[in-house]
Amino acid sequence: MPAKFKCTILGSGDTIGTPIAGCKCATCLDPKSKRYRFGLLLEIDTLKILIDPNPDLKWQCLSADLELKDIDHIFVTHHHSDHINGLGEFFFRNPKPQVLWYGDNPLNHKLIDYWKYLEAEQVLEFRTFSNFKEIKLNDDLTVLPIELSHDFPTSGFIFKYRNKKIAVVTDTNGKLKRQTIDSLKNVNVLFADTFSENQEQIKKVYTDCGISTPDLGTEWFHMTIDDVKDLKAKINAKRVYTVHMSRHMDTQENLVKKYQTDDFVIGYDSLSFDLLK
Ligand SMILES: [Zn+2]
Ligand SMILES: [Zn+2]
């Protein structure tokens, strides 16, 4: 089998996805701005790897012609509902072990308990990872979990296959610790949490709900376009794909016009490429 390192964005959306029922904003009304909750499929060599079994997984499988039984490894960034609540789609026993990886911390252990019936029924095998401790999936492929900065214990991942590296960095703000920044240096591709274009859009999230705006310097846990550009420069990422995007942002077409360049790509559902081609 020829080497491959294929990445497919299954979902590019935020916690509640786009559109939301009843909303009449231009983004929610635009079919091209439709976004499933965040999910990423990596097909590396002979392995299929899913990052974040999100609540839209069933529909993502139908779009990508992906059978859940073919997935070898599932990595969970964190246990907010938009990243874990599709786990119930894994339902049938599979002769091949399918491994669910989750971060080794007390909060995750507590929350993962709910899903342990899947292990008891031999649907999935559960394994923990620790940040900055490399996992070897085969002779050519390693995964490094890295610590992110969210209102919840959250990990990003760096997948290294032969001489190529891709990083998944959601959900997080831009205030990353030194070890995380150092680990991310020179990745070929960065999938980056990009919740909004600017801080004004974040403030709107709060004012829309009638709550006072928090101090965004300390209390906000996602990135803006500028935060992602800063991170890209800091780590010298060769190319960025934005993900975890909210309906507060402009339409897909306008975002492309405003921000897209050869090495800064506005993500969308079903976007797919092979790093080795
Ligand atoms: Zn999220
Ligand atoms: Zn989250």
Side-chain angles (χ1 to χ4, degrees):
M1 157 135 353
K4 73 171 169 181
F5 197 161
K6 190 176 169 195
C7 310
T8 304
I9 297 177
L10 297 174
S12 59
D14 71 335
T15 320
I16 53 178
T18 306
I20 60 165
C23 184
K24 300 282 184 271
C25 78
T27 302
C28 279
L29 291 177
D30 173 29
K32 287 191 183 138
S33 302
K34 180 181 170 217
R35 299 187 194 281
Y36 283 135
R37 265 65 72 87
F38 174 73
L40 188 69
L41 174 68
L42 301 178
E43 295 166 82
I44 310 175
D45 221 335
T46 58
L47 291 179
K48 280 190 167 62
I49 298 164
L50 171 69
I51 295 124
D52 283 348
N54 65 86
D56 294 321
L57 184 59
K58 176 188 171 75
W59 310 107
Q60 295 169 352
C61 287
L62 288 165
S63 299
D65 201 13
L66 170 68
E67 289 191 61
L68 286 180
K69 70 173 176 51
D70 292 337
I71 289 171
D72 301 281
H73 295 273
I74 305 158
F75 283 84
V76 174
T77 57
H78 65 302
H79 288 73
H80 274 151
S81 75
D82 53 321
H83 299 263
I84 187 86
N85 274 0
L87 212 46
E89 300 300 322
F90 289 86
F91 184 66
F92 297 101
R93 284 186 193 182
N94 197 327
K96 151 181 103 166
Q98 291 182 281
V99 185
L100 176 85
W101 295 90
Y102 65 100
D104 187 9
N105 65 66
L107 192 49
N108 282 356
H109 285 298
K110 198 170 151 200
L111 286 162
I112 206 82
D113 270 352
Y114 172 79
W115 299 103
K116 281 279 174 142
Y117 73 93
L118 292 170
E119 190 170 54
E121 291 174 12
Q122 297 168 38
V123 173
L124 296 174
E125 181 184 323
F126 285 53
R127 285 189 213 165
T128 56
F129 62 74
S130 301
N131 287 331
F132 305 112
K133 210 167 155 200
E134 194 171 77
I135 301 162
K136 191 169 178 174
L137 294 184
N138 68 28
D139 286 346
D140 294 318
L141 173 61
T142 58
V143 188
L144 182 72
I146 51 175
E147 185 180 325
L148 301 182
S149 175
H150 197 41
D151 59 337
F152 200 90
T154 302
S155 297
F157 302 107
I158 300 170
F159 291 84
K160 184 169 176 231
Y161 177 60
R162 301 193 176 175
N163 60 348
K164 301 280 187 199
K165 282 202 263 186
I166 73 129
V168 184
V169 173
T170 194
D171 299 11
T172 188
N173 61 30
K175 291 183 277 258
L176 299 172
K177 63 193 288 186
R178 170 58 43 200
Q179 194 176 1
T180 299
I181 295 288
D182 287 345
S183 305
L184 285 166
K185 288 255 163 81
N186 302 316
V187 293
N188 297 85
V189 167
L190 170 70
F191 291 97
D193 173 339
T194 316
F195 182 89
S196 62
E197 291 173 73
N198 50 54
Q199 296 221 337
E200 291 313 304
Q201 287 174 350
I202 299 171
K203 285 180 188 157
K204 203 167 170 304
V205 178
Y206 288 88
T207 47
D208 277 0
C209 307
I211 24 186
S212 63
T213 311
D215 173 1
L216 295 177
T218 56
E219 289 184 39
W220 186 248
F221 294 97
H222 293 281
M223 291 194 280
T224 62
I225 291 266
D226 280 346
D227 292 333
V228 176
K229 287 191 168 169
D230 284 350
L231 178 61
K232 179 183 186 299
K234 230 185 256 177
I235 66 171
N236 189 35
K238 310 248 178 327
R239 180 174 290 175
V240 166
Y241 292 86
T242 61
V243 291
H244 209 281
M245 297 161 70
S246 75
R247 73 197 183 288
H248 302 285
M249 299 178 88
D250 211 335
T251 60
Q252 177 70 12
E253 194 181 350
N254 286 342
L255 291 176
V256 168
K257 277 187 205 150
K258 286 194 265 188
Y259 307 109
Q260 185 156 300
T261 58
D262 282 351
D263 59 0
F264 193 94
V265 180
I266 302 298
Y268 56 87
D269 294 9
S270 300
L271 184 158
S272 190
F273 59 88
D274 190 332
L275 251 183
L276 298 181
K277 277 190 184 149

